[in-house]
Amino acid sequence: MDHSINIVPYSDTYAAAFRSLNEEWISRYFKMEEMDRISLYHPKEYILDKGGYIGVALLNGEAVGVCALIPSYKKEYDFELAKMGVSPKAQGKGIGKLLGLHIIEKAKSLGAKKLYLESNRILKPALSLYEKLGFKEIVGATSPYERSDIQMELTLSAS
């Protein structure tokens, strides 16, 4: 079965999908936190207006995955890879990997040298994906999220 997957830049058309795809996984495993509400309900102000980027994965025209590149508040990183969510109905099609690769390429095109992400050890498929994308665990980082118990980084090679 051929699935047509495209990744497009975020626009207001995808505001509800960006919010719901993230709320879905956050609520399934954790609880929504104030930082989630800020970024998910105000992606333009919190992410895009600050020089960030959001990619939206479309499967046959329907938004089934999202991932953001948020300018990092940590000075040693250019961006944080964040808010990656793929609809359960679209999982297993490699959409997370496509989104991850897309976001990494976007970061390179924006001149980024180092990316950062935060996750939780119970999200094994996500951690496995991040490792495949080249992210390595770092120790001693702090997080504004209660649920974050692992931080990872990726040094981008100039290609």
Side-chain angles (χ1 to χ4, degrees):
M1 193 164 143
D2 184 38
H3 296 295
S4 174
I5 299 168
N6 295 324
I7 299 179
V8 299
Y10 175 90
S11 68
D12 289 343
T13 311
Y14 304 113
F18 179 66
R19 193 164 52 239
S20 64
L21 287 165
N22 274 288
E23 283 179 345
E24 193 170 19
W25 73 261
I26 294 167
S27 302
R28 181 178 315 141
Y29 296 102
F30 311 104
K31 66 180 198 297
M32 288 283 289
E33 297 179 40
E34 190 55 31
M35 286 294 294
D36 294 316
R37 282 186 261 286
I38 292 168
S39 58
L40 296 179
Y41 283 83
H42 306 283
K44 185 174 169 346
E45 297 81 352
Y46 184 74
I47 300 169
L48 303 174
D49 290 351
K50 292 181 178 177
Y53 173 82
I54 301 170
V56 180
L58 303 177
L59 176 62
N60 302 321
E62 182 191 351
V64 294
V66 291
C67 189
L69 204 52
I70 303 175
S72 179
Y73 64 92
K74 295 175 185 281
K75 65 180 183 306
E76 63 270 36
Y77 299 100
D78 299 297
F79 291 98
E80 178 182 356
L81 182 153
K83 302 296 177 235
M84 181 186 274
V86 175
S87 170
K89 68 182 179 197
Q91 285 172 359
K93 298 182 185 354
I95 293 171
K97 184 170 185 204
L98 287 172
L99 271 170
L101 292 169
H102 176 81
I103 286 291
I104 289 167
E105 284 308 308
K106 183 66 182 180
K108 286 181 183 174
S109 78
L110 294 171
K113 303 277 181 272
K114 240 174 166 184
L115 298 183
Y116 170 84
L117 67 80
E118 301 185 1
S119 191
N120 185 289
R121 294 176 195 284
I122 68 168
L123 301 173
K124 301 235 181 298
L127 295 180
S128 169
L129 168 64
Y130 299 144
E131 286 170 4
K132 284 183 192 142
L133 292 170
F135 280 86
K136 306 266 184 273
E137 183 174 349
I138 51 176
V139 182
T142 58
S143 169
Y145 291 99
E146 276 179 42
R147 65 176 174 264
S148 175
D149 69 358
I150 183 171
Q151 289 80 30
M152 302 174 89
E153 68 179 18
L154 174 65
T155 301
L156 301 173
S157 55
S159 53

